[in-house]
PDB file of all heavy atoms in Angstrom:
ATOM      1  N   ARG A   2     -89.503  26.053   1.467  1.00  0.00           N
ATOM      2  CA  ARG A   2     -88.419  26.411   0.546  1.00  0.00           C
ATOM      3  C   ARG A   2     -87.122  25.687   0.927  1.00  0.00           C
ATOM      4  O   ARG A   2     -86.086  26.307   1.144  1.00  0.00           O
ATOM      5  CB  ARG A   2     -88.209  27.918   0.494  1.00  0.00           C
ATOM      6  CG  ARG A   2     -89.445  28.712   0.130  1.00  0.00           C
ATOM      7  CD  ARG A   2     -89.142  30.128  -0.334  1.00  0.00           C
ATOM      8  NE  ARG A   2     -88.253  30.858   0.524  1.00  0.00           N
ATOM      9  CZ  ARG A   2     -88.619  31.523   1.615  1.00  0.00           C
ATOM     10  NH1 ARG A   2     -89.883  31.536   1.979  1.00  0.00           N
ATOM     11  NH2 ARG A   2     -87.751  32.187   2.327  1.00  0.00           N
ATOM     12  N   VAL A   3     -87.205  24.384   0.995  1.00  0.00           N
ATOM     13  CA  VAL A   3     -86.050  23.550   1.325  1.00  0.00           C
ATOM     14  C   VAL A   3     -85.705  22.702   0.108  1.00  0.00           C
ATOM     15  O   VAL A   3     -86.560  22.024  -0.457  1.00  0.00           O
ATOM     16  CB  VAL A   3     -86.337  22.655   2.542  1.00  0.00           C
ATOM     17  CG1 VAL A   3     -85.199  21.663   2.752  1.00  0.00           C
ATOM     18  CG2 VAL A   3     -86.522  23.516   3.795  1.00  0.00           C
ATOM     19  N   THR A   4     -84.447  22.746  -0.284  1.00  0.00           N
ATOM     20  CA  THR A   4     -83.945  21.957  -1.405  1.00  0.00           C
ATOM     21  C   THR A   4     -83.031  20.865  -0.867  1.00  0.00           C
ATOM     22  O   THR A   4     -82.101  21.144  -0.104  1.00  0.00           O
ATOM     23  CB  THR A   4     -83.175  22.840  -2.397  1.00  0.00           C
ATOM     24  OG1 THR A   4     -84.068  23.824  -2.940  1.00  0.00           O
ATOM     25  CG2 THR A   4     -82.609  22.005  -3.538  1.00  0.00           C
ATOM     26  N   ILE A   5     -83.306  19.628  -1.283  1.00  0.00           N
ATOM     27  CA  ILE A   5     -82.534  18.468  -0.820  1.00  0.00           C
ATOM     28  C   ILE A   5     -81.988  17.758  -2.052  1.00  0.00           C
ATOM     29  O   ILE A   5     -82.757  17.290  -2.893  1.00  0.00           O
ATOM     30  CB  ILE A   5     -83.409  17.512   0.009  1.00  0.00           C
ATOM     31  CG1 ILE A   5     -84.010  18.268   1.209  1.00  0.00           C
ATOM     32  CG2 ILE A   5     -82.603  16.308   0.468  1.00  0.00           C
ATOM     33  CD1 ILE A   5     -85.038  17.470   1.985  1.00  0.00           C
ATOM     34  N   ARG A   6     -80.664  17.673  -2.169  1.00  0.00           N
ATOM     35  CA  ARG A   6     -80.052  17.099  -3.366  1.00  0.00           C
ATOM     36  C   ARG A   6     -79.048  16.013  -3.010  1.00  0.00           C
ATOM     37  O   ARG A   6     -78.334  16.096  -2.020  1.00  0.00           O
ATOM     38  CB  ARG A   6     -79.345  18.194  -4.180  1.00  0.00           C
ATOM     39  CG  ARG A   6     -80.271  19.254  -4.742  1.00  0.00           C
ATOM     40  CD  ARG A   6     -79.575  20.158  -5.747  1.00  0.00           C
ATOM     41  NE  ARG A   6     -78.592  21.042  -5.123  1.00  0.00           N
ATOM     42  CZ  ARG A   6     -77.304  21.034  -5.405  1.00  0.00           C
ATOM     43  NH1 ARG A   6     -76.821  20.164  -6.266  1.00  0.00           N
ATOM     44  NH2 ARG A   6     -76.493  21.879  -4.813  1.00  0.00           N
ATOM     45  N   ASP A   7     -79.016  14.998  -3.857  1.00  0.00           N
ATOM     46  CA  ASP A   7     -77.986  13.949  -3.790  1.00  0.00           C
ATOM     47  C   ASP A   7     -77.854  13.362  -2.389  1.00  0.00           C
ATOM     48  O   ASP A   7     -76.765  13.286  -1.810  1.00  0.00           O
ATOM     49  CB  ASP A   7     -76.641  14.505  -4.262  1.00  0.00           C
ATOM     50  CG  ASP A   7     -76.667  14.893  -5.727  1.00  0.00           C
ATOM     51  OD1 ASP A   7     -77.601  14.489  -6.437  1.00  0.00           O
ATOM     52  OD2 ASP A   7     -75.752  15.608  -6.158  1.00  0.00           O
ATOM     53  N   SER A   8     -78.972  12.922  -1.846  1.00  0.00           N
ATOM     54  CA  SER A   8     -78.977  12.347  -0.495  1.00  0.00           C
ATOM     55  C   SER A   8     -78.272  10.997  -0.486  1.00  0.00           C
ATOM     56  O   SER A   8     -78.415  10.189  -1.409  1.00  0.00           O
ATOM     57  CB  SER A   8     -80.406  12.174   0.006  1.00  0.00           C
ATOM     58  OG  SER A   8     -81.064  13.426   0.090  1.00  0.00           O
ATOM     59  N   ILE A   9     -77.557  10.737   0.590  1.00  0.00           N
ATOM     60  CA  ILE A   9     -76.884   9.450   0.737  1.00  0.00           C
ATOM     61  C   ILE A   9     -77.915   8.344   0.938  1.00  0.00           C
ATOM     62  O   ILE A   9     -77.772   7.244   0.433  1.00  0.00           O
ATOM     63  CB  ILE A   9     -75.883   9.516   1.897  1.00  0.00           C
ATOM     64  CG1 ILE A   9     -74.779  10.547   1.570  1.00  0.00           C
ATOM     65  CG2 ILE A   9     -75.248   8.150   2.151  1.00  0.00           C
ATOM     66  CD1 ILE A   9     -73.870  10.876   2.736  1.00  0.00           C
ATOM     67  N   SER A  10     -78.980   8.647   1.687  1.00  0.00           N
ATOM     68  CA  SER A  10     -80.094   7.701   1.818  1.00  0.00           C
ATOM     69  C   SER A  10     -81.366   8.376   1.313  1.00  0.00           C
ATOM     70  O   SER A  10     -81.423   8.757   0.157  1.00  0.00           O
ATOM     71  CB  SER A  10     -80.217   7.216   3.268  1.00  0.00           C
ATOM     72  OG  SER A  10     -80.426   8.298   4.156  1.00  0.00           O
ATOM     73  N   SER A  11     -82.376   8.535   2.164  1.00  0.00           N
ATOM     74  CA  SER A  11     -83.625   9.172   1.733  1.00  0.00           C
ATOM     75  C   SER A  11     -83.522  10.692   1.835  1.00  0.00           C
ATOM     76  O   SER A  11     -82.677  11.235   2.557  1.00  0.00           O
ATOM     77  CB  SER A  11     -84.793   8.671   2.584  1.00  0.00           C
ATOM     78  OG  SER A  11     -85.088   7.327   2.306  1.00  0.00           O
ATOM     79  N   GLY A  12     -84.453  11.359   1.135  1.00  0.00           N
ATOM     80  CA  GLY A  12     -84.457  12.811   1.165  1.00  0.00           C
ATOM     81  C   GLY A  12     -85.047  13.351   2.453  1.00  0.00           C
ATOM     82  O   GLY A  12     -84.368  14.001   3.248  1.00  0.00           O
ATOM     83  N   LEU A  13     -86.346  13.064   2.696  1.00  0.00           N
ATOM     84  CA  LEU A  13     -87.027  13.527   3.897  1.00  0.00           C
ATOM     85  C   LEU A  13     -87.761  12.345   4.497  1.00  0.00           C
ATOM     86  O   LEU A  13     -88.511  11.644   3.802  1.00  0.00           O
ATOM     87  CB  LEU A  13     -87.997  14.667   3.567  1.00  0.00           C
ATOM     88  CG  LEU A  13     -88.584  15.461   4.738  1.00  0.00           C
ATOM     89  CD1 LEU A  13     -89.018  16.848   4.262  1.00  0.00           C
ATOM     90  CD2 LEU A  13     -89.771  14.767   5.399  1.00  0.00           C
ATOM     91  N   THR A  14     -87.543  12.103   5.786  1.00  0.00           N
ATOM     92  CA  THR A  14     -88.179  10.970   6.450  1.00  0.00           C
ATOM     93  C   THR A  14     -88.944  11.447   7.678  1.00  0.00           C
ATOM     94  O   THR A  14     -88.518  12.372   8.380  1.00  0.00           O
ATOM     95  CB  THR A  14     -87.147   9.908   6.873  1.00  0.00           C
ATOM     96  OG1 THR A  14     -86.135  10.508   7.693  1.00  0.00           O
ATOM     97  CG2 THR A  14     -86.479   9.294   5.650  1.00  0.00           C
ATOM     98  N   ILE A  15     -90.088  10.795   7.929  1.00  0.00           N
ATOM     99  CA  ILE A  15     -90.887  11.044   9.120  1.00  0.00           C
ATOM    100  C   ILE A  15     -90.997   9.709   9.842  1.00  0.00           C
ATOM    101  O   ILE A  15     -91.533   8.738   9.300  1.00  0.00           O
ATOM    102  CB  ILE A  15     -92.272  11.595   8.770  1.00  0.00           C
ATOM    103  CG1 ILE A  15     -92.125  12.923   8.002  1.00  0.00           C
ATOM    104  CG2 ILE A  15     -93.111  11.805  10.038  1.00  0.00           C
ATOM    105  CD1 ILE A  15     -93.436  13.490   7.484  1.00  0.00           C
ATOM    106  N   VAL A  16     -90.458   9.641  11.056  1.00  0.00           N
ATOM    107  CA  VAL A  16     -90.382   8.380  11.804  1.00  0.00           C
ATOM    108  C   VAL A  16     -90.831   8.618  13.240  1.00  0.00           C
ATOM    109  O   VAL A  16     -90.788   9.742  13.738  1.00  0.00           O
ATOM    110  CB  VAL A  16     -88.955   7.799  11.773  1.00  0.00           C
ATOM    111  CG1 VAL A  16     -88.480   7.573  10.347  1.00  0.00           C
ATOM    112  CG2 VAL A  16     -87.982   8.709  12.514  1.00  0.00           C
ATOM    113  N   ALA A  17     -91.273   7.532  13.905  1.00  0.00           N
ATOM    114  CA  ALA A  17     -91.724   7.638  15.289  1.00  0.00           C
ATOM    115  C   ALA A  17     -91.257   6.439  16.093  1.00  0.00           C
ATOM    116  O   ALA A  17     -92.057   5.627  16.553  1.00  0.00           O
ATOM    117  CB  ALA A  17     -93.245   7.762  15.342  1.00  0.00           C
ATOM    118  N   PRO A  18     -89.951   6.292  16.321  1.00  0.00           N
ATOM    119  CA  PRO A  18     -89.438   5.129  17.047  1.00  0.00           C
ATOM    120  C   PRO A  18     -89.861   5.133  18.506  1.00  0.00           C
ATOM    121  O   PRO A  18     -89.768   6.147  19.187  1.00  0.00           O
ATOM    122  CB  PRO A  18     -87.920   5.284  16.911  1.00  0.00           C
ATOM    123  CG  PRO A  18     -87.722   6.753  16.745  1.00  0.00           C
ATOM    124  CD  PRO A  18     -88.896   7.232  15.943  1.00  0.00           C
ATOM    125  N   GLY A  19     -90.314   4.005  18.984  1.00  0.00           N
ATOM    126  CA  GLY A  19     -90.638   3.868  20.394  1.00  0.00           C
ATOM    127  C   GLY A  19     -91.908   4.555  20.831  1.00  0.00           C
ATOM    128  O   GLY A  19     -92.226   4.580  22.019  1.00  0.00           O
ATOM    129  N   SER A  20     -92.646   5.143  19.895  1.00  0.00           N
ATOM    130  CA  SER A  20     -93.866   5.852  20.279  1.00  0.00           C
ATOM    131  C   SER A  20     -95.046   4.892  20.349  1.00  0.00           C
ATOM    132  O   SER A  20     -95.135   3.935  19.592  1.00  0.00           O
ATOM    133  CB  SER A  20     -94.154   6.957  19.272  1.00  0.00           C
ATOM    134  OG  SER A  20     -93.130   7.923  19.304  1.00  0.00           O
ATOM    135  N   LYS A  21     -95.952   5.164  21.264  1.00  0.00           N
ATOM    136  CA  LYS A  21     -97.153   4.350  21.405  1.00  0.00           C
ATOM    137  C   LYS A  21     -98.233   5.166  22.096  1.00  0.00           C
ATOM    138  O   LYS A  21     -97.956   6.195  22.704  1.00  0.00           O
ATOM    139  CB  LYS A  21     -96.862   3.083  22.194  1.00  0.00           C
ATOM    140  CG  LYS A  21     -96.285   3.327  23.585  1.00  0.00           C
ATOM    141  CD  LYS A  21     -95.927   2.003  24.257  1.00  0.00           C
ATOM    142  CE  LYS A  21     -95.316   2.258  25.639  1.00  0.00           C
ATOM    143  NZ  LYS A  21     -94.946   1.008  26.323  1.00  0.00           N
ATOM    144  N   LYS A  22     -99.470   4.726  21.965  1.00  0.00           N
ATOM    145  CA  LYS A  22    -100.607   5.373  22.603  1.00  0.00           C
ATOM    146  C   LYS A  22    -100.658   6.865  22.297  1.00  0.00           C
ATOM    147  O   LYS A  22    -100.947   7.695  23.160  1.00  0.00           O
ATOM    148  CB  LYS A  22    -100.574   5.134  24.115  1.00  0.00           C
ATOM    149  CG  LYS A  22    -100.653   3.673  24.523  1.00  0.00           C
ATOM    150  CD  LYS A  22    -100.600   3.515  26.031  1.00  0.00           C
ATOM    151  CE  LYS A  22    -100.661   2.036  26.427  1.00  0.00           C
ATOM    152  NZ  LYS A  22    -100.584   1.849  27.901  1.00  0.00           N
ATOM    153  N   GLY A  23    -100.325   7.223  21.046  1.00  0.00           N
ATOM    154  CA  GLY A  23    -100.415   8.620  20.630  1.00  0.00           C
ATOM    155  C   GLY A  23     -99.317   9.514  21.131  1.00  0.00           C
ATOM    156  O   GLY A  23     -99.384  10.738  20.986  1.00  0.00           O
ATOM    157  N   GLU A  24     -98.267   8.953  21.729  1.00  0.00           N
ATOM    158  CA  GLU A  24     -97.187   9.779  22.282  1.00  0.00           C
ATOM    159  C   GLU A  24     -96.379  10.485  21.211  1.00  0.00           C
ATOM    160  O   GLU A  24     -95.842  11.553  21.442  1.00  0.00           O
ATOM    161  CB  GLU A  24     -96.245   8.900  23.117  1.00  0.00           C
ATOM    162  CG  GLU A  24     -96.854   8.382  24.397  1.00  0.00           C
ATOM    163  CD  GLU A  24     -95.906   7.437  25.109  1.00  0.00           C
ATOM    164  OE1 GLU A  24     -95.105   6.764  24.432  1.00  0.00           O
ATOM    165  OE2 GLU A  24     -95.954   7.370  26.346  1.00  0.00           O
ATOM    166  N   GLY A  25     -96.224   9.860  20.041  1.00  0.00           N
ATOM    167  CA  GLY A  25     -95.373  10.427  18.998  1.00  0.00           C
ATOM    168  C   GLY A  25     -96.169  10.846  17.780  1.00  0.00           C
ATOM    169  O   GLY A  25     -96.022  10.262  16.701  1.00  0.00           O
ATOM    170  N   THR A  26     -97.021  11.857  17.917  1.00  0.00           N
ATOM    171  CA  THR A  26     -97.922  12.291  16.855  1.00  0.00           C
ATOM    172  C   THR A  26     -97.455  13.617  16.263  1.00  0.00           C
ATOM    173  O   THR A  26     -97.104  14.537  16.998  1.00  0.00           O
ATOM    174  CB  THR A  26     -99.353  12.444  17.393  1.00  0.00           C
ATOM    175  OG1 THR A  26     -99.805  11.187  17.897  1.00  0.00           O
ATOM    176  CG2 THR A  26    -100.296  12.927  16.309  1.00  0.00           C
ATOM    177  N   LEU A  27     -97.464  13.708  14.948  1.00  0.00           N
ATOM    178  CA  LEU A  27     -97.157  14.959  14.252  1.00  0.00           C
ATOM    179  C   LEU A  27     -98.467  15.620  13.845  1.00  0.00           C
ATOM    180  O   LEU A  27     -99.304  15.002  13.179  1.00  0.00           O
ATOM    181  CB  LEU A  27     -96.300  14.688  13.015  1.00  0.00           C
ATOM    182  CG  LEU A  27     -95.889  15.918  12.199  1.00  0.00           C
ATOM    183  CD1 LEU A  27     -94.997  16.843  13.012  1.00  0.00           C
ATOM    184  CD2 LEU A  27     -95.185  15.495  10.904  1.00  0.00           C
ATOM    185  N   SER A  28     -98.646  16.877  14.241  1.00  0.00           N
ATOM    186  CA  SER A  28     -99.869  17.604  13.889  1.00  0.00           C
ATOM    187  C   SER A  28     -99.530  19.040  13.523  1.00  0.00           C
ATOM    188  O   SER A  28     -98.466  19.552  13.873  1.00  0.00           O
ATOM    189  CB  SER A  28    -100.867  17.575  15.056  1.00  0.00           C
ATOM    190  OG  SER A  28    -100.316  18.186  16.212  1.00  0.00           O
ATOM    191  N   GLN A  29    -100.437  19.672  12.803  1.00  0.00           N
ATOM    192  CA  GLN A  29    -100.261  21.052  12.341  1.00  0.00           C
ATOM    193  C   GLN A  29     -98.898  21.221  11.673  1.00  0.00           C
ATOM    194  O   GLN A  29     -98.141  22.149  11.952  1.00  0.00           O
ATOM    195  CB  GLN A  29    -100.408  22.034  13.504  1.00  0.00           C
ATOM    196  CG  GLN A  29    -101.778  21.988  14.166  1.00  0.00           C
ATOM    197  CD  GLN A  29    -101.932  23.043  15.247  1.00  0.00           C
ATOM    198  OE1 GLN A  29    -101.585  24.214  15.044  1.00  0.00           O
ATOM    199  NE2 GLN A  29    -102.446  22.640  16.395  1.00  0.00           N
ATOM    200  N   ALA A  30     -98.605  20.282  10.768  1.00  0.00           N
ATOM    201  CA  ALA A  30     -97.332  20.295  10.038  1.00  0.00           C
ATOM    202  C   ALA A  30     -97.594  20.652   8.587  1.00  0.00           C
ATOM    203  O   ALA A  30     -98.553  20.167   7.973  1.00  0.00           O
ATOM    204  CB  ALA A  30     -96.656  18.945  10.136  1.00  0.00           C
ATOM    205  N   ARG A  31     -96.719  21.457   8.038  1.00  0.00           N
ATOM    206  CA  ARG A  31     -96.889  21.937   6.663  1.00  0.00           C
ATOM    207  C   ARG A  31     -95.550  21.872   5.923  1.00  0.00           C
ATOM    208  O   ARG A  31     -94.538  22.369   6.430  1.00  0.00           O
ATOM    209  CB  ARG A  31     -97.429  23.372   6.664  1.00  0.00           C
ATOM    210  CG  ARG A  31     -97.696  23.948   5.271  1.00  0.00           C
ATOM    211  CD  ARG A  31     -98.264  25.348   5.394  1.00  0.00           C
ATOM    212  NE  ARG A  31     -98.487  25.969   4.095  1.00  0.00           N
ATOM    213  CZ  ARG A  31     -99.587  25.815   3.368  1.00  0.00           C
ATOM    214  NH1 ARG A  31    -100.576  25.055   3.823  1.00  0.00           N
ATOM    215  NH2 ARG A  31     -99.733  26.428   2.201  1.00  0.00           N
ATOM    216  N   LEU A  32     -95.566  21.247   4.750  1.00  0.00           N
ATOM    217  CA  LEU A  32     -94.402  21.183   3.870  1.00  0.00           C
ATOM    218  C   LEU A  32     -94.746  21.940   2.601  1.00  0.00           C
ATOM    219  O   LEU A  32     -95.691  21.577   1.886  1.00  0.00           O
ATOM    220  CB  LEU A  32     -94.038  19.737   3.526  1.00  0.00           C
ATOM    221  CG  LEU A  32     -93.357  18.866   4.594  1.00  0.00           C
ATOM    222  CD1 LEU A  32     -94.302  18.619   5.779  1.00  0.00           C
ATOM    223  CD2 LEU A  32     -92.960  17.525   3.993  1.00  0.00           C
ATOM    224  N   GLU A  33     -94.003  22.992   2.311  1.00  0.00           N
ATOM    225  CA  GLU A  33     -94.299  23.800   1.129  1.00  0.00           C
ATOM    226  C   GLU A  33     -93.009  24.137   0.392  1.00  0.00           C
ATOM    227  O   GLU A  33     -91.980  24.421   1.002  1.00  0.00           O
ATOM    228  CB  GLU A  33     -95.040  25.082   1.516  1.00  0.00           C
ATOM    229  CG  GLU A  33     -94.325  25.950   2.519  1.00  0.00           C
ATOM    230  CD  GLU A  33     -95.154  27.122   3.021  1.00  0.00           C
ATOM    231  OE1 GLU A  33     -96.391  27.038   2.948  1.00  0.00           O
ATOM    232  OE2 GLU A  33     -94.549  28.110   3.487  1.00  0.00           O
ATOM    233  N   GLN A  34     -93.059  24.039  -0.925  1.00  0.00           N
ATOM    234  CA  GLN A  34     -91.889  24.296  -1.780  1.00  0.00           C
ATOM    235  C   GLN A  34     -90.686  23.483  -1.312  1.00  0.00           C
ATOM    236  O   GLN A  34     -89.588  24.000  -1.149  1.00  0.00           O
ATOM    237  CB  GLN A  34     -91.572  25.785  -1.818  1.00  0.00           C
ATOM    238  CG  GLN A  34     -92.679  26.642  -2.407  1.00  0.00           C
ATOM    239  CD  GLN A  34     -92.289  28.094  -2.514  1.00  0.00           C
ATOM    240  OE1 GLN A  34     -91.264  28.439  -3.095  1.00  0.00           O
ATOM    241  NE2 GLN A  34     -93.111  28.975  -1.951  1.00  0.00           N
ATOM    242  N   VAL A  35     -90.925  22.203  -1.099  1.00  0.00           N
ATOM    243  CA  VAL A  35     -89.854  21.266  -0.754  1.00  0.00           C
ATOM    244  C   VAL A  35     -89.490  20.514  -2.026  1.00  0.00           C
ATOM    245  O   VAL A  35     -90.329  19.844  -2.627  1.00  0.00           O
ATOM    246  CB  VAL A  35     -90.301  20.286   0.347  1.00  0.00           C
ATOM    247  CG1 VAL A  35     -89.203  19.263   0.619  1.00  0.00           C
ATOM    248  CG2 VAL A  35     -90.658  21.048   1.625  1.00  0.00           C
ATOM    249  N   ASN A  36     -88.252  20.643  -2.459  1.00  0.00           N
ATOM    250  CA  ASN A  36     -87.791  20.042  -3.711  1.00  0.00           C
ATOM    251  C   ASN A  36     -86.690  19.030  -3.419  1.00  0.00           C
ATOM    252  O   ASN A  36     -85.679  19.364  -2.813  1.00  0.00           O
ATOM    253  CB  ASN A  36     -87.285  21.123  -4.667  1.00  0.00           C
ATOM    254  CG  ASN A  36     -88.359  22.167  -4.976  1.00  0.00           C
ATOM    255  OD1 ASN A  36     -89.512  21.820  -5.223  1.00  0.00           O
ATOM    256  ND2 ASN A  36     -87.986  23.428  -4.948  1.00  0.00           N
ATOM    257  N   ILE A  37     -86.916  17.784  -3.851  1.00  0.00           N
ATOM    258  CA  ILE A  37     -85.991  16.702  -3.548  1.00  0.00           C
ATOM    259  C   ILE A  37     -85.581  16.006  -4.839  1.00  0.00           C
ATOM    260  O   ILE A  37     -86.436  15.550  -5.599  1.00  0.00           O
ATOM    261  CB  ILE A  37     -86.641  15.674  -2.591  1.00  0.00           C
ATOM    262  CG1 ILE A  37     -87.101  16.369  -1.302  1.00  0.00           C
ATOM    263  CG2 ILE A  37     -85.662  14.554  -2.262  1.00  0.00           C
ATOM    264  CD1 ILE A  37     -87.860  15.466  -0.352  1.00  0.00           C
ATOM    265  N   THR A  38     -84.277  15.944  -5.094  1.00  0.00           N
ATOM    266  CA  THR A  38     -83.760  15.249  -6.280  1.00  0.00           C
ATOM    267  C   THR A  38     -82.539  14.431  -5.897  1.00  0.00           C
ATOM    268  O   THR A  38     -81.671  14.895  -5.159  1.00  0.00           O
ATOM    269  CB  THR A  38     -83.360  16.243  -7.391  1.00  0.00           C
ATOM    270  OG1 THR A  38     -82.389  17.171  -6.872  1.00  0.00           O
ATOM    271  CG2 THR A  38     -84.560  17.013  -7.902  1.00  0.00           C
ATOM    272  N   GLY A  39     -82.460  13.202  -6.394  1.00  0.00           N
ATOM    273  CA  GLY A  39     -81.292  12.365  -6.175  1.00  0.00           C
ATOM    274  C   GLY A  39     -81.241  11.801  -4.773  1.00  0.00           C
ATOM    275  O   GLY A  39     -80.906  12.504  -3.824  1.00  0.00           O
ATOM    276  N   THR A  40     -81.609  10.543  -4.616  1.00  0.00           N
ATOM    277  CA  THR A  40     -81.547   9.906  -3.304  1.00  0.00           C
ATOM    278  C   THR A  40     -80.886   8.539  -3.435  1.00  0.00           C
ATOM    279  O   THR A  40     -80.742   7.993  -4.520  1.00  0.00           O
ATOM    280  CB  THR A  40     -82.956   9.728  -2.698  1.00  0.00           C
ATOM    281  OG1 THR A  40     -83.764   8.991  -3.625  1.00  0.00           O
ATOM    282  CG2 THR A  40     -83.612  11.068  -2.426  1.00  0.00           C
ATOM    283  N   GLY A  41     -80.462   8.003  -2.285  1.00  0.00           N
ATOM    284  CA  GLY A  41     -79.908   6.656  -2.256  1.00  0.00           C
ATOM    285  C   GLY A  41     -78.509   6.519  -2.810  1.00  0.00           C
ATOM    286  O   GLY A  41     -78.120   5.438  -3.261  1.00  0.00           O
ATOM    287  N   LEU A  42     -77.718   7.576  -2.756  1.00  0.00           N
ATOM    288  CA  LEU A  42     -76.363   7.480  -3.306  1.00  0.00           C
ATOM    289  C   LEU A  42     -75.492   6.493  -2.525  1.00  0.00           C
ATOM    290  O   LEU A  42     -74.515   5.984  -3.043  1.00  0.00           O
ATOM    291  CB  LEU A  42     -75.698   8.859  -3.313  1.00  0.00           C
ATOM    292  CG  LEU A  42     -76.369   9.915  -4.205  1.00  0.00           C
ATOM    293  CD1 LEU A  42     -75.538  11.180  -4.205  1.00  0.00           C
ATOM    294  CD2 LEU A  42     -76.573   9.409  -5.611  1.00  0.00           C
ATOM    295  N   GLY A  43     -75.866   6.223  -1.274  1.00  0.00           N
ATOM    296  CA  GLY A  43     -75.125   5.245  -0.486  1.00  0.00           C
ATOM    297  C   GLY A  43     -75.613   3.830  -0.661  1.00  0.00           C
ATOM    298  O   GLY A  43     -75.107   2.912  -0.016  1.00  0.00           O
ATOM    299  N   GLY A  44     -76.603   3.645  -1.525  1.00  0.00           N
ATOM    300  CA  GLY A  44     -77.103   2.311  -1.800  1.00  0.00           C
ATOM    301  C   GLY A  44     -78.098   1.803  -0.787  1.00  0.00           C
ATOM    302  O   GLY A  44     -78.502   0.646  -0.826  1.00  0.00           O
ATOM    303  N   SER A  45     -78.539   2.643   0.139  1.00  0.00           N
ATOM    304  CA  SER A  45     -79.468   2.213   1.177  1.00  0.00           C
ATOM    305  C   SER A  45     -80.884   2.109   0.620  1.00  0.00           C
ATOM    306  O   SER A  45     -81.190   2.677  -0.432  1.00  0.00           O
ATOM    307  CB  SER A  45     -79.472   3.238   2.311  1.00  0.00           C
ATOM    308  OG  SER A  45     -80.037   4.458   1.850  1.00  0.00           O
ATOM    309  N   PRO A  46     -81.797   1.430   1.323  1.00  0.00           N
ATOM    310  CA  PRO A  46     -83.222   1.563   0.984  1.00  0.00           C
ATOM    311  C   PRO A  46     -83.609   3.033   1.110  1.00  0.00           C
ATOM    312  O   PRO A  46     -83.259   3.685   2.104  1.00  0.00           O
ATOM    313  CB  PRO A  46     -83.911   0.704   2.046  1.00  0.00           C
ATOM    314  CG  PRO A  46     -82.860  -0.227   2.540  1.00  0.00           C
ATOM    315  CD  PRO A  46     -81.575   0.530   2.465  1.00  0.00           C
ATOM    316  N   HIS A  47     -84.308   3.572   0.145  1.00  0.00           N
ATOM    317  CA  HIS A  47     -84.507   5.009   0.152  1.00  0.00           C
ATOM    318  C   HIS A  47     -85.753   5.410  -0.632  1.00  0.00           C
ATOM    319  O   HIS A  47     -86.236   4.668  -1.491  1.00  0.00           O
ATOM    320  CB  HIS A  47     -83.298   5.710  -0.466  1.00  0.00           C
ATOM    321  CG  HIS A  47     -83.108   5.374  -1.923  1.00  0.00           C
ATOM    322  ND1 HIS A  47     -82.425   4.235  -2.319  1.00  0.00           N
ATOM    323  CD2 HIS A  47     -83.536   5.979  -3.058  1.00  0.00           C
ATOM    324  CE1 HIS A  47     -82.433   4.180  -3.642  1.00  0.00           C
ATOM    325  NE2 HIS A  47     -83.097   5.217  -4.107  1.00  0.00           N
ATOM    326  N   HIS A  48     -86.234   6.614  -0.317  1.00  0.00           N
ATOM    327  CA  HIS A  48     -87.303   7.288  -1.054  1.00  0.00           C
ATOM    328  C   HIS A  48     -87.048   8.782  -0.947  1.00  0.00           C
ATOM    329  O   HIS A  48     -86.352   9.248  -0.032  1.00  0.00           O
ATOM    330  CB  HIS A  48     -88.682   6.942  -0.491  1.00  0.00           C
ATOM    331  CG  HIS A  48     -89.005   5.471  -0.559  1.00  0.00           C
ATOM    332  ND1 HIS A  48     -89.442   4.859  -1.710  1.00  0.00           N
ATOM    333  CD2 HIS A  48     -88.928   4.502   0.385  1.00  0.00           C
ATOM    334  CE1 HIS A  48     -89.637   3.571  -1.481  1.00  0.00           C
ATOM    335  NE2 HIS A  48     -89.315   3.317  -0.216  1.00  0.00           N
TER     336      HIS A  48
END
């Protein structure tokens, strides 16, 4: 139940900088009722 509106860049991002050999793994993760509208207001690459 998270609402994300008018983001300057992307709405929700999943990243793993510097991770290797399985060190940066996301598991048992659940996204439910996540509503995202309006992204990239700062002109950045976005989703």
Side-chain angles (χ1 to χ4, degrees):
R2 304 198 311 276
V3 172
T4 298
I5 302 172
R6 296 191 290 119
D7 295 345
S8 298
I9 296 170
S10 59
S11 290
L13 192 156
T14 55
I15 300 174
V16 302
S20 296
K21 57 184 179 180
K22 299 179 181 179
E24 291 175 330
T26 300
L27 181 64
S28 60
Q29 299 184 47
R31 182 178 178 86
L32 286 65
E33 57 187 23
Q34 298 184 54
V35 176
N36 302 316
I37 303 175
T38 57
T40 56
L42 297 185
S45 67
H47 64 275
H48 299 280

